[in-house]
Amino acid sequence: MAALSGGDYRVREMVTLLGESQNLISYHLRLLRDGGLVRATRSSFDGRDSYYHLDLDCCAEMLTGAGAALHPALGLIPTAPQFDSQAPASVLFVCTGNSARSVIAEALLRQRTNGRVEARSAGTRPQPIMHPNAVRVLREEFGIDISGQNPRHLDALADHRFDTVITLCDKAREVCPEFGEGTRWIHWSIPDPSEAGGTDEDTYPAFQATAADIDTRIRYLVPNLTTET
């Protein structure tokens, strides 16, 4: 669970990461899925594979419930993140088209940190324009306007250094280049909402679900980007 709290992994990656057998890891993943603590998504790069993701909201609810059951004074008290103004964190979000997932993540991280984290996004094969539903969901659900923003190619940031690089697309993960030593790599396996099929109106609910998923992940990412002052 601690490993999955930092990003999404395939079973074989967890075997290497944890040094345990595949059968043992698969067994515990099945138990965690049955308990609602872990979710799985089919890889968009290799449909025979799956990525596992820890549902941190569910974990928080269960921990809070367990504390309250033990003693009413025991609960999780959220604290505001502290930022080191002398060394702000820098984060790059990467997907394929840079027209939906990564740009949504960039906008939400910037909003959740009031611009105190340098958030950028790019695509391995950027689309000509932002997806209309990405613009719409940020405007309607979060009050963010990205209508004047254009997709960016990853090559444009080749000389830039980031503290954290987060891939949100299984395909982009396979081709994303390295950004130097000391960069923290995270993968979020998030399906492309534009592939839900149909008109923009038909796929808008998929964009709402994707934005909500990304926002949840951002909320839990922020404390890991802060530096105590």
Side-chain angles (χ1 to χ4, degrees):
M1 290 178 69
L4 287 174
S5 70
D8 300 5
Y9 291 99
R10 294 169 286 196
V11 170
R12 66 176 179 273
E13 293 169 337
M14 297 189 71
V15 169
T16 301
L17 184 65
L18 302 177
E20 300 289 351
S21 70
Q22 180 172 327
N23 287 341
L24 182 64
I25 290 175
S26 295
Y27 170 75
H28 284 288
L29 284 173
R30 183 169 64 253
L31 294 179
L32 291 169
R33 287 185 68 184
D34 291 344
L37 293 170
V38 165
R39 292 182 288 150
T41 58
R42 186 70 63 182
S43 170
S44 61
F45 176 74
D46 183 350
R48 299 168 297 179
D49 218 341
S50 294
Y51 280 94
Y52 290 86
H53 165 59
L54 187 65
D55 189 331
L56 289 167
D57 268 346
C58 184
C59 290
E61 290 173 5
M62 288 190 174
L63 287 171
T64 301
L70 182 62
H71 191 285
L74 296 178
L76 299 179
I77 303 175
T79 58
Q82 302 295 316
F83 293 88
D84 183 352
S85 59
Q86 300 301 314
S90 58
V91 180
L92 172 65
F93 295 99
V94 181
C95 68
T96 300
N98 191 220
S99 63
R101 290 165 291 181
S102 59
V103 74
I104 289 173
E106 174 191 0
L108 292 178
L109 178 59
R110 187 175 293 117
Q111 182 186 66
R112 287 232 171 240
T113 61
N114 294 320
R116 290 173 292 179
V117 168
E118 180 191 355
R120 308 285 288 275
S121 69
T124 56
R125 298 177 62 185
Q127 294 292 322
I129 61 172
M130 294 296 174
H131 196 289
N133 279 341
V135 177
R136 177 185 172 186
V137 76
L138 285 172
R139 182 182 66 249
E140 294 185 358
E141 304 293 334
F142 302 95
I144 302 173
D145 182 12
I146 63 164
S147 59
Q149 192 169 327
N150 294 312
R152 177 192 296 116
H153 198 289
L154 191 58
D155 289 349
L157 299 174
D159 295 331
H160 200 94
R161 292 295 172 262
F162 295 93
D163 299 313
T164 304
V165 174
I166 301 175
T167 49
L168 298 89
C169 169
D170 300 336
K171 296 176 182 177
R173 184 195 189 203
E174 301 297 325
V175 298
C176 187
E178 296 185 2
F179 278 82
E181 295 183 3
T183 299
R184 179 189 180 197
W185 286 83
I186 299 174
H187 180 59
W188 294 347
S189 180
I190 300 177
D192 185 353
S194 67
E195 294 183 355
T199 64
D200 286 350
E201 193 63 34
D202 294 334
T203 61
Y204 186 63
F207 277 80
Q208 290 176 301
T210 295
D213 182 15
I214 292 174
D215 189 47
T216 297
R217 291 173 182 260
I218 293 291
R219 286 193 288 109
Y220 287 102
L221 171 71
V222 170
N224 291 327
L225 301 176
T226 60
T227 303
E228 294 296 331
T229 57

